[in-house]
Every structure is written in C-alpha cells, then in structure tokens.
Amino acid sequence: MSRVIADMSMSLDGFIEDGDGGVGDLFGWYDNGPVITETANTGVTFRTTHASAQRMRDSMRQVGALIVGRRLFDLAKGWGGCHPMDVPVFVVTHHPPGDWQFPDAPFTFVTDGVTSAVRQASEAAGDKLVAVASASVTQQCLDAGLLDEIHLNLVPVLLGHGVRWFDQLANTPVRVDNPTIIEGDGVTHLVYPIHKPASLAALPEREPTCPT
C-alpha cells in the first residue's frame, strides 16, 4: 500500500487558517523567492527559494493521489476541475455536490469514510505517495492509524485563533520520530515519520466518528 502523508502550512501556534478562514499569512512563502515552479493548473504558479522549490517539485513528482475534505474542496471551488498537483483527488464528504461542472475531471467523491478514501487513493497512486490535505481528514486518519508521515510547513507567525490542524484527536499521544528539516525563507519544512502501534498496522474496519 502507498505511504500516506499529511502536508499543510501551519502557524507557530498550530493554525492552518485564521479566524476569518484566510491563509494569506501562511502562504507568503509560496511567492517570496526567485525560483518559478509551474503546476498543472495554469492559474497557480509558485515563486519560492531554491530549497522550497526543490521540496515542492519532489512532492509533485512523488505524490500519486490526494485526499481532501469537503470544506477545503468547497473553499477552493473544486480548483476549477484541475488541481495543481495533477493527480486523482478523493473528496471525503457526506453528500457529493449536485452541481459539479467537471464530470470528466479526476475527482472522486467518497461517501463511506476516510478508510475507503485511503484505500481508493492508494490504488490510484500505485507506488507513489497519497497526500492528505485538510484538518478534519488529517485528524480522522491519525485516529485511524492511517498516516505514515506529517509534512509540516511551519510559518513564523502567531495567528491566535482560527482552525487548528490537530485539534480533535481521539487517540493521543501520537509519537513521531525526529524530523528531516529544510530551511526556506519565511517557512521551515519539517517531515515527521509517525510511530504506528502494531494494533493499528492494518486498515481498521470501522470508521472514526469525527465529522467531515
């Protein structure tokens, strides 16, 4: 099965959005350097430091499928049917959108939980990584023992309030190994391998109850 990672930008005090749902203070590093990284979505181009650009390019090469929550999908307006990663996207939701305008785009709406989403995304990714983005889905995957690594883009700002990445974990403590560290400009990229208890080594049959 593919390795499953969670990858997001986070403030020093643990938030991935501010109190108004904004991410401007967290995404400044995407546009503060000389190196241009283009994506599959022509409307999304990054300009970062060399170190951050190499990390982003490695991620785009290594990730074979993406799992997101419905809230992120709605906020991003479905990325116009073309996610910048250019991989199959699995949206965990209770109800698929009734007005999805891009039926041929590689988006799958998963209504039977994160375990099913991970299974489907792993099949789609093959020997590549499955990346998880959004707080609720990350929390559910951690509670179910489905994550292998946390990829944290740590931004030097204190937001004070907003949406926390790790706010409602049911199965704690979650123990991680020492990180791999990449220093960017306005961001520090950290990769934490997760220790998984033997009892959680296999995919569970029951879904966690945290809502999407």
Side-chain angles (χ1 to χ4, degrees):
M1 176 174 290
S2 301
R3 283 191 300 129
V4 182
I5 68 170
D7 190 334
M8 298 197 76
S9 294
M10 188 184 79
S11 68
L12 288 179
D13 50 349
F15 296 100
I16 59 171
E17 296 177 14
D18 64 24
D20 297 320
V23 294
D25 288 319
L26 298 174
F27 282 9
W29 66 273
Y30 282 121
D31 193 32
N32 69 351
V35 183
I36 296 175
T37 300
E38 297 180 344
T39 73
N41 189 320
T42 57
V44 180
T45 300
F46 303 111
R47 293 172 173 83
T48 65
T49 63
H50 289 273
S52 292
Q54 185 60 55
R55 183 189 178 278
M56 293 175 64
R57 291 170 182 177
D58 287 345
S59 179
M60 285 189 284
R61 185 181 69 254
Q62 295 169 0
V63 171
L66 180 67
I67 302 174
V68 303
R70 178 60 184 271
R71 181 171 180 272
L72 176 58
F73 171 84
D74 287 343
L75 288 172
K77 298 180 179 179
W79 297 275
C82 181
H83 192 277
M85 292 292 290
D86 193 27
V87 296
V89 179
F90 296 82
V91 184
V92 180
T93 180
H94 294 299
H95 304 286
D99 57 349
W100 179 235
Q101 300 177 7
F102 309 97
D104 296 328
F107 284 70
T108 301
F109 299 96
V110 182
T111 60
D112 52 348
V114 295
T115 299
S116 176
V118 169
R119 290 186 190 278
Q120 294 181 57
S122 295
E123 291 175 0
D127 59 357
K128 292 188 174 183
L129 299 175
V130 171
V132 175
S134 70
S136 178
V137 177
T138 297
Q139 292 160 20
Q140 292 179 68
C141 285
L142 278 169
D143 284 340
L146 299 175
L147 280 188
D148 297 297
E149 292 177 351
I150 294 172
H151 291 213
L152 168 60
N153 307 307
L154 187 62
V155 180
V157 62
L158 300 170
L159 294 181
H161 59 295
V163 175
R164 291 187 184 275
W165 197 9
F166 307 110
D167 199 27
Q168 301 182 45
L169 296 178
N171 296 325
T172 54
V174 177
R175 305 194 184 280
V176 300
D177 287 332
N178 292 330
T180 299
I181 303 172
I182 300 173
E183 294 185 10
D185 183 4
V187 64
T188 302
H189 307 289
L190 304 162
V191 177
Y192 290 95
I194 296 174
H195 285 299
K196 297 210 292 192
S199 60
L200 293 177
L203 290 177
E205 295 181 359
R206 298 181 60 186
E207 291 291 339
T209 58
C210 180
T212 58

